[in-house]
Amino acid sequence: MTVNTTTNFGVSVIGSGCSSPAQKITNEQLASRVDTNDEWIKTRTGIRERRIIGPNESLSDLCFKAGVSALEMARWAPETLDMVLVATSTPDDLFGMAPQVQSKLGACNAFAFDLTAACSGFLFAFVTATQFVRSGSIKRALIIGADQLSAWMDWDDRRSCVLFGDGAGAIAIEASPVNQDAVIGFKLKSDGSRGDCLNLPQTRDFDPLVSSYQNQKGGFSNIEMNGQEVYKFAVREVPSLLQDLLLKCEIDPESLDWLLLHQANQRILNAVADRFSIPHTKVLSNLAIYGNTSAATIPIMLDEAVRDGRVKPGHLIATSGFGAGLSWGAALFRWNGPS
Ligand code: UT7
């Protein structure tokens, strides 16, 4: 699936927001728990610290705060929203977290649901929401990317625990005239045959039920990751997908204002930029202070860059998410900002 075909409406990207937990864990603090050190983590990943949800916070709280912030930037009353889409793999409630967020926001006219595509989740949700807007089914959508991977980490596994953090980011989009469409194109990909590089699998414990029958007890184990395989996947597939998308949309990499990639590892960001000869000054990066917040990295990064004035109305952004599934995707869009 790719690039705009016939649509009734275009999409404007109007507002952004984000929220991070209060607890900040530095590399030095992690090194007091597991056999690692600041130098290794900084050199191999670019990460210095991460935020972790503590007892007085929840992921749905972070989603709510990110959502409020995006609605304030857009200058929208919550009741004007038609849809709240939450991309997450770690909801507060397995039946779905989006309705809780919709209700806390006061978005009483919006339908709400969760979407799971791990670290690609925000990108998949962004594309999904744009299709509702384009078809004319809805006018306004709030898309939230949020994850609390800290809850599913083996904190004694130094190969994975140093990478991840918690957070939430949100983007507000609305219908525009079709000739002013800010979302120029997208591509989404999945390959379940390589899914075993990065999993958060169910535990398979069974209880006796009646007679000789058993029932499975709900539960999940910890994140299991083959870091090197995921790294190779990212530096191979992301440039290849971006290349296809740029060609299809007839956009020269030089005309991009920003490269907004899933914040997994600074070495991955640099490798992707180098494949297109994009200067590192055009690569948005904040993983030094948040680590990899999974579905939240892209909207948190966008919000930060919008608020500090780097991303300006009209800027052309190439974005890509990638991760467990395996799943990966890319989109080209312009930031409009509030009208
Ligand atoms: O959203 C997607 C999520 N996943 C990812 O983005 C992961 C992508 N992969 C990566 O970012 C990198 O593969 C890692 C950062 C996970 C690992 O970096 P690497 O350069 O691939 O290191 P490595 O796995 O090849 O390990 C090199 C050495 C090993 O020691 P030996 O066997 O050479 O003695 C590891 O045991 O580094 C050791 N090591 C560590 N040392 C200190 C692995 N983790 C750590 C650690 N601290 N935290």
Side-chain angles (χ1 to χ4, degrees):
M1 191 186 344
T2 178
V3 185
N4 305 348
T5 49
T6 312
T7 61
N8 297 327
F9 293 91
V11 175
S12 287
V13 187
I14 303 285
S16 65
C18 73
S19 178
S20 294
Q23 293 190 131
K24 189 191 288 180
I25 314 285
T26 64
N27 290 347
E28 286 85 358
Q29 286 171 306
L30 266 189
S32 68
R33 153 108 195 199
V34 65
D35 180 19
T36 188
N37 58 78
D38 178 50
E39 187 55 29
W40 191 97
I41 304 171
K42 269 195 318 216
T43 321
R44 302 277 181 144
T45 70
I47 298 165
R48 292 200 311 264
E49 60 195 37
R50 69 286 294 143
R51 302 295 189 94
I52 302 295
I53 289 176
N56 300 321
E57 295 169 313
S58 71
L59 192 62
S60 54
D61 290 340
L62 298 188
C63 291
F64 166 69
K65 287 179 190 161
V68 166
S69 208
L71 292 181
E72 280 172 3
M73 186 187 286
R75 301 188 204 107
W76 293 352
E79 57 272 19
T80 66
L81 273 176
D82 301 308
M83 175 189 203
V84 176
L85 185 48
V86 177
T88 186
S89 306
T90 54
D92 289 353
D93 184 328
L94 265 188
F95 283 161
M97 184 166 65
Q100 293 171 38
V101 178
Q102 170 260 350
S103 157
K104 276 191 205 170
L105 285 169
C108 51
N109 295 309
F111 63 91
F113 62 95
D114 291 10
L115 179 154
T116 299
C119 295
S120 311
F122 181 78
L123 201 89
F124 278 51
F126 177 65
V127 169
T128 301
T130 63
Q131 301 314 296
F132 276 90
V133 172
R134 287 223 171 95
S135 67
S137 309
I138 64 166
K139 286 208 168 75
R140 289 184 166 175
L142 182 69
I143 309 140
I144 301 175
D147 265 312
Q148 182 182 3
L149 291 189
S150 66
W152 302 102
M153 199 64 58
D154 175 355
W155 285 101
D156 296 313
D157 176 9
R158 67 177 186 173
R159 293 166 303 142
S160 58
C161 76
V162 300
L163 297 177
F164 298 100
D166 304 333
I171 289 185
I173 64 169
E174 77 174 338
S176 70
V178 76
N179 61 354
Q180 290 166 30
D181 198 349
V183 181
I184 296 152
F186 65 85
K187 271 180 171 271
L188 303 178
K189 304 267 280 185
S190 306
D191 180 4
S193 72
R194 290 187 275 167
D196 57 0
C197 309
L198 185 50
N199 303 103
L200 178 34
Q202 270 194 337
T203 43
R204 295 274 295 161
D205 298 329
F206 285 79
D207 280 339
L209 182 59
V210 286
S211 97
S212 62
Y213 298 112
Q214 297 183 312
N215 72 286
Q216 189 177 349
K217 274 171 71 72
F220 291 86
S221 60
N222 292 315
I223 291 173
E224 297 167 1
M225 183 182 73
N226 181 333
Q228 287 186 356
E229 283 306 312
V230 178
Y231 187 94
K232 282 190 266 177
F233 147 72
V235 297
R236 190 172 50 235
E237 303 291 5
V238 173
S240 159
L241 192 68
L242 275 173
Q243 172 79 9
D244 287 354
L245 184 59
L246 289 164
L247 273 176
K248 204 131 199 167
C249 298
E250 297 177 351
I251 289 191
D252 194 308
E254 279 180 23
S255 60
L256 295 174
D257 292 295
W258 299 105
L259 195 53
L260 171 53
L261 302 178
H262 167 52
Q263 308 281 300
N265 185 321
Q266 190 61 45
R267 287 155 54 209
I268 297 176
L269 305 194
N270 295 346
V272 175
D274 292 346
R275 283 281 296 274
F276 296 98
S277 303
I278 294 173
H280 291 185
T281 47
K282 286 187 172 184
V283 180
L284 293 170
S285 172
N286 63 4
L287 55 76
I289 55 170
Y290 297 118
N292 177 347
T293 56
S294 187
T297 64
I298 291 174
I300 291 178
M301 183 67 253
L302 180 64
D303 184 51
E304 211 170 280
V306 163
R307 286 177 194 271
D308 69 20
R310 274 177 290 172
V311 169
K312 296 186 169 44
H315 274 184
L316 179 58
I317 299 169
T319 186
S320 177
F322 51 89
L326 295 175
S327 59
W328 63 112
L332 288 168
F333 71 98
R334 287 189 192 278
W335 168 255
N336 300 101
S339 44

